[in-house]
Amino acid sequence: MGKNQADQEPHVSGQANKPISQPPHALPHPVVTQELRANAEDGLNEQEAKSRLDEYGRNELDDGPGVQPVKILVRQVANAMMLVLIMAMAVSFGISSYIEGGVIAAVIILNIIVGFFQEFNAEKTMDSLRSLSSPTAVAVRGGNTITIPTAEIVPGDIVELKTGDTVPADIRLVEAMNFETDEALLTGESLPVGKETETTFDADIGAGDRLNVAFSSSTVTKGRARGVVFATGMKTEIGTIAAALRATGKRTRPVKRKPDGSAKPHRYAQAWGLTAGDFVGTFLGVNVGTPLQRKLSKLAILLFGVAVVCAIIVLAANRFSNDKEVIIYAVATGLSMIPACLIVVLTITMAAGTKRMVQRHVIVRRLDSLEALGAVTDICSDKTGTLTQGKMVAKRAWIPCVGTYAVGTSNDPVDPTQGDLTHTEEPPTAIQVESENKDEKGGVSYKELLEDNAPLKDYLNVASLANLAHVHKSEDGWKARGDPTEIAIQVFVSRFNWNRERLTKEESWSQVAEFPFDSDVKKMSVIFANKTTSTNMVFSKGAVERIIGSCNLVRLEKGAELTEMTEEFRSTILQNMEALAAQGLRVLALASKEYKGATGGDDSSYDRAAIESDLTFQGLIGLYDPPRVESAGAVKQCHQAGITVHMLTGDHPGTAKAIAAQVGIIPARDEAVAKDVADAMVTTASAFDKLSDDDIDKLPVLPLVIARCSPNTKVRMIEALHRRKCFAAMTGDGVNDSPSLKRADVGIAMGQAGSDVAKDASDIVLTDDNFASILNAIEEGRRMFDNIQKFVLHLLAENIAQACTLLIGLAFKDSSSQSVFPLAPVEILWVIMITSGMPDMGLGVEIAAPDIMARPPQSLKKGIFTLEIVVDILVYGVWMACLCLASFSVVMFGFGDGNLGSGCNSRYSEECDTVFRARATTFVCLTWFALFLAWEMVNMRRSFFRMQPKSKRYFTQWMYDVWRNQFLFWAVIAGFVTIFPTLYIPVINHVVFKHTGISWEWGIIVVEAILFFGGVESWKWAKRVYFRRNAKKTGQADLEAMVFSRYLNSDSVSSEGEGQVDEKKVG
C-alpha cells in the first residue's frame, strides 16, 4: 500500500485519490480527464507517472504484513528435525554429558541462525517475485502502449481494456465498445454489467449503478474500452472491502452435521482427530509445500526411524549398558542419520532458482512447476509474437480487379512514410519474388494509385475501419497502439492517408456496432454509418477460408459490375493465398456490404451470422512477421535436449509451414518423409478435430504444426500427448486458452500479450513473450533438479558413511569388552555441523552442467531418487566408511600396538594415546572426505579435474571450477581450516573431542585422500563408459536425431505404434 493511501481523511466512495470537483461518475469524461491533469491521447509521460507513483503510492491493497520474521524464527524451532536435536540435547544433559549437550545446543543455535537468515532472504525473494507475477495492465505512456505491473498504475493513467483483462484500478471510461464487466466480487451481481461512456449519474448513486466506471479487480467479459484512472490502491471501491477479502480460512476441520444441524459425539472426535492429524502433518512437513518438499519431509521421517534403529544397535552391541558414554554415542549415531538441513537447503535452492529465472525473463507463479520443467518432453507453442517478433508489416495487398500492391523495406514498422509503394496488375500467383530490393525500385505516389481507383478505396475502407488500432504522429515520431496485426494494417492504409482517425473525423464515418474477433468464427466485423451518403456499411476481415465462405459477390474488372462469386474463383483466391503464404506471409481477407437493417440498441441485438453473410470480396492482405533471431537456435537446442516442438497457430497452413521450416520445427529433408507422416506432420485444426481420440492415437506421429488452431484443438493436443505418456508445456495468451493452460503439465502465459485470465491459469509467465525464454525456463528447471540431486546425494552419502563407520566400529572392543568408538560423539556432531549445511547450500546454487541440455528429459515418476542416485549414495557412503575404518585400523593396528586400553571413550591417558591418535586420524579423514565429496558432486558424472570438456586448460581447469562457486569454495575451506583448532588446542582436543594432536598420521590422511579421489574418479569413469554404451545401444546418443527419426525413417514409421512413442517419450 502506498504511503498516502490510508493516512488521510476518510475516503468518499467513488471519489479520486485526490478529490476532484465531483465524483468521476457524475462528470463528463473530458472534465474528469482535465481535472486529473491527464492526456487522453498520449497518456502521462514517464517522469509524471513516476512523480504520481511517489505521491499516491503503489496500486496495491493492504494485504497484510508480508514477510514476518517472528513466524520464520518459530518455523526454525518448531519442526520435526529440530525437535530431534532438542531431544538429543535433553538426553545429553539428562545423563550429565554437559559437553556433548553443549555441542548439540551449539548445533541447534547455529542451525536456527543460519536457517533464519537464509529463509528470511528466501521469503523476501519470493515476496518480490509474487509482485512480479501479479496482473499487468496496458497503459498509454508518452504516446506508446506499454504493459506495466498493475501496482505501478497511477491516477491519470490512460488504460486500455479488452476481454479477459482484470481491471487494474477504478477507471472512468472514455471509450467503450460492446463492453461488459463481471462485478460479482464487488456487488454480488452474477450477470455481467454493460458499460457506457457518455451518461453521467448522481454523485451519491450506488457503486452497482455507476455504468460509466470500470471497478478495480472486476473482469472484462466482453468488448474493449479505454479510460482514465481516478482511484488506486485502498482508495478504490474494492479497497473499502479489502478486509473482508483478506479473511483467512479456518484451521480446524468442520464437524459433519445432520440436516437439522445436530451431530453425534463421534463426529466431534472425528473432526478433532483430523485437525490434530493436519497439525502433525504440517509440523512434520508432509502435507505442505511442493510435492518434492513433501517427499523429502517423508524421507526425513524415514531416516528418523533408521536413526532410532541405529541407536538401538549401539546399545545392543554394548549389552544395553547404562554407561553414559555408550548412551551419548548411541544418540550421536542416531543424529548422524538425520539430515537436519535438508528442507532448508531445498527452500533456499528453489528461491534462488526463481530469482535467477526472473533474470532470464521467466516468472514462476507456482513452485510445483519448478519440479515439472525439467521433465518437459513436448512444447506446444504459438507462432505470433512467440516464435516470431510480433512486429508485423503489411507487405502485399491483392485486389482482384486491380492487381497487387507491395511495400518496400522499412526500418520502422509503424512509420507509414517509410518504404516505397509499388503496383503490378499481376496476381500473387504470377509474381516471382526474387528479392526484397526489387520492390523498392520505382516507388509510386499514393495519390497516383488512388486516382480513379474506386476498388482500392473500397478495399482501404475495410482495412481502415474494420480495425481497432490507432496510429498517429506525435512530437517524437510515429506511435501506434493496439493489436500487432491491426497496427500493421492500419500503417498500410496510412500510407494512402486512409487512416481510421481521419475517416472518422473528416470523412463522416461513425461506428454503429462492433463484433470482435472470435476464435471460433475467425472474423471481426463492424458496422459504420456514412453521414454523407446516409448508408450503413458492414466491414469484415478475418481468415481467408471463413471470409470467402461468407462472400457471394466480387468485382473481377475495374469499372465493371459486381458478379456472382463462383467456386472456380474461390479456388483462385485460395491459390493466391497459398502464393502469399509460401512467402511466410500471414494472409487475411477483407470484405464488405451495404447494411440495410435497423441500427441502434446493444450489439447483442444484432444477428451476427446474418450481418457477416452475403458479403462482397474486396481482396487479400499479406503480413510478414519475421521469426525472432533466436528462435531457430532455441528450437535446435530443444531437439538436442530431446524435446519436440509443436507449433499451434491460427495462421494459414502455408504460412505456418513456411515459418516452421525457417525455425527448424519441421525437418528440412522433405524427400525423406513418408507420405502418411508428411500428412500427419502439418495439418489443420479442422482435420485434427474431425479425428476421434482412437484415430489420433493411431497416427504414426502427432502433428508438428497445426494451423487454424482453435482453443479446443489445443486441449485435444494436450490430451493426445498425455495418452502417449508425454509431459507437455503449452503456451497461451487469450481467455479461451485457459483450459489448455490448466490441462498442460506446465502452462505458460505471455506477459506482454497475454490476458490476466490466461496468466491466472498458468504456471509460469514469460515477460518477453519469447520462445527462447521457454528454453531458459526448462534449462533452469533441469539445473535446479540437478542441484537438488547433488546436495541430497552428498547429504545421504555422508550419512551412510557416518552410520557405517560408527556401527562397524562397534566391533573394536577394549579389555572390558566395551566398544571403543572410532569417532567420539562430539566429533560426529562437529562433522554434521561443518560438512553438511553450508556446502549443500553451495551445491544448491551451482551453475548448470555443460551437457544439461544434451540429456533426455527427466522422469518425474522416478523423481530425484533415480537408480543412479541410489547406487551413488551407497557407493560413495560405503567407500568413505571403508577408508575411515581403514585409517583407524592402520594407526591402531598397523603402526600401533593394537592396545585399545580401557575407558578410552571418556578420558585421555598414556594407555589411550594410540586410540586418541587413531580417532583424530579418522575424524580428519571423514571431514575431508565429506568436504571433497561436495566438490566432486559439482558434476555427478564428469571428472572433478575435467568438468568443462571443451576447455583447453587440461591441468588447471579444476582450479577455475572450484573458484567459480565461491559460496561452496569458502564453505569447504572453512570446514578444512576448523579442523586444526580442534586437534591442537589443549583441553578442547582431549576433553571435548576425545582425540589428540597428530603428526606422522598426516601421511596416512594424504594417502587416504588420494585413495578417496581415486575411488570416486574410477566410479565416475565407469559410469561414463556405461552410459555411453547404453546410449549407443538404445539409439539415444543423438537426441536431436532421435526427435526427428520417426519423421524421416519411413520404414520404421509404419510399424511404430503408440508403445514406441511412449518409450521415447517424445510427441
Side-chain angles (χ1 to χ4, degrees), residues 54 96 230 298 493 518 521 618 751 778 780 839 861 868 892:
D54 293 338
S96 302
F230 65 85
K298 291 175 182 176
V493 299
D518 186 283
V521 300
Q618 297 295 349
I778 290 174
E780 284 299 315
K861 187 175 181 181
E868 178 186 359
M892 193 72 234

Side-chain angles (χ1 to χ4, degrees), residues 811-854:
F812 300 120
K813 300 276 189 175
D814 62 11
S815 56
S816 62
S817 296
Q818 190 174 33
S819 296
V820 176
F821 308 141
L823 287 170
V826 173
E827 288 178 321
I828 299 168
L829 297 171
W830 187 263
V831 171
I832 293 171
M833 184 169 62
I834 293 300
T835 66
S836 56
M838 300 306 285
D840 288 331
M841 289 178 192
L843 286 173
V845 297
E846 183 60 39
I847 65 170
D851 63 342
I852 198 164
M853 293 305 287

Side-chain angles (χ1 to χ4, degrees), residues 14-18 20 22-44 48 52 56 59 137-141 153-161 167-176 179 196-197 212-216 224-232 236 481:
Q15 257 294 5
N17 283 43
K18 182 182 287 185
I20 56 179
Q22 287 193 72
H25 61 266
L27 296 171
H29 60 76
V31 177
V32 176
T33 303
Q34 181 181 357
E35 293 196 19
L36 290 171
R37 294 180 291 115
N39 185 326
E41 193 66 37
D42 290 337
L44 303 174
E48 178 64 20
R52 295 193 185 197
Y56 298 113
N59 177 33
V138 177
V140 180
R141 294 266 178 95
I153 290 291
V154 296
D157 259 328
I158 302 298
V159 171
E160 297 185 350
L161 302 168
V167 180
D170 283 359
I171 296 170
R172 174 61 166 93
L173 298 175
V174 174
E175 297 175 12
F179 187 69
E196 54 190 83
T197 61
N212 54 13
V213 171
F215 293 104
S216 175
R224 60 180 178 85
R226 293 178 78 233
V228 59
V229 174
F230 65 85
T232 59
T236 60
R481 63 172 184 266

Side-chain angles (χ1 to χ4, degrees), residues 628-640 663 771-772 775:
R628 291 180 183 266
V629 176
E630 60 273 26
S631 288
V635 170
K636 184 177 178 64
Q637 280 187 278
C638 284
H639 293 158
Q640 291 170 345
V663 299
F771 179 83
L775 196 69

Side-chain angles (χ1 to χ4, degrees), residues 98-100 102-104 106-107 325 328-329 332 806 821-835 888 904-908 912 915-924 927 975 977-997:
Y98 299 113
I99 292 175
E100 288 80 1
V103 173
I104 296 175
V107 172
E325 296 298 332
I328 200 64
Y329 185 79
L806 299 175
F821 308 141
L823 287 170
V826 173
E827 288 178 321
I828 299 168
L829 297 171
W830 187 263
V831 171
I832 293 171
M833 184 169 62
I834 293 300
T835 66
F888 185 88
C904 294
N905 290 330
S906 57
R907 65 185 182 279
Y908 175 80
C912 294
V915 173
F916 272 49
R917 284 179 172 273
R919 191 177 286 150
T921 306
T922 306
F923 168 66
V924 175
T927 304
V977 169
T978 53
I979 289 174
F980 297 96
T982 68
L983 287 175
Y984 298 109
I985 295 178
V987 181
I988 289 180
N989 55 5
H990 288 174
V991 178
V992 178
F993 283 86
K994 305 294 192 297
H995 61 212
T996 191

Side-chain angles (χ1 to χ4, degrees), residues 303-442:
L303 291 176
F304 173 69
V306 173
V308 172
V309 172
C310 290
I312 293 172
I313 291 173
V314 171
L315 294 173
N318 290 276
R319 297 187 295 277
F320 293 96
S321 168
N322 61 359
D323 186 289
K324 70 176 184 179
E325 296 298 332
V326 173
I327 295 173
I328 200 64
Y329 185 79
V331 170
T333 303
L335 289 180
S336 71
M337 292 301 298
I338 302 296
C341 62
L342 186 62
I343 303 302
V344 173
V345 174
L346 178 64
T347 302
I348 293 164
T349 300
M350 286 187 158
T354 53
K355 187 175 182 179
R356 184 180 169 93
M357 280 191 175
V358 171
Q359 298 168 356
R360 305 189 73 178
H361 310 294
V362 179
I363 296 172
V364 178
R365 297 189 70 253
R366 295 182 177 88
L367 280 178
D368 294 22
S369 64
L370 290 177
E371 302 160 29
L373 282 167
V376 169
T377 62
D378 291 73
I379 299 173
C380 299
S381 174
D382 191 13
K383 177 184 76 70
T384 304
T386 306
L387 288 163
T388 61
Q389 296 179 18
K391 297 176 180 177
M392 294 195 179
V393 178
K395 302 294 288 183
R396 300 283 187 276
W398 175 60
I399 303 172
C401 62
V402 177
T404 305
Y405 297 88
V407 178
T409 304
S410 169
N411 294 324
D412 186 351
V414 300
D415 187 348
T417 63
Q418 292 190 22
D420 290 334
L421 284 168
T422 58
H423 172 250
T424 176
E425 294 183 358
E426 299 292 337
T429 51
I431 300 173
Q432 295 295 323
V433 182
E434 295 178 3
S435 72
E436 193 64 40
N437 295 330
K438 224 175 172 186
D439 295 332
E440 299 184 34
K441 296 176 182 177

Side-chain angles (χ1 to χ4, degrees), residues 47-124:
Q47 185 177 357
E48 178 64 20
K50 186 178 184 305
S51 171
R52 295 193 185 197
L53 187 62
D54 293 338
E55 179 182 357
Y56 298 113
R58 291 173 66 81
N59 177 33
E60 296 171 335
L61 297 180
D62 181 11
D63 56 356
V67 179
Q68 296 177 279
V70 174
K71 282 190 174 181
I72 295 173
L73 184 61
V74 169
R75 280 205 300 269
Q76 302 309 308
V77 179
N79 65 71
M81 296 299 99
M82 198 57 64
L83 183 62
V84 173
L85 289 173
I86 292 171
M87 289 168 58
M89 181 183 68
V91 169
S92 301
F93 285 130
I95 61 174
S96 302
S97 293
Y98 299 113
I99 292 175
E100 288 80 1
V103 173
I104 296 175
V107 172
I108 291 172
I109 293 170
L110 183 66
N111 270 336
I112 290 174
I113 292 173
V114 173
F116 171 78
F117 283 108
Q118 293 288 356
E119 194 166 337
F120 178 71
N121 290 330
E123 284 280 339
K124 286 205 299 184

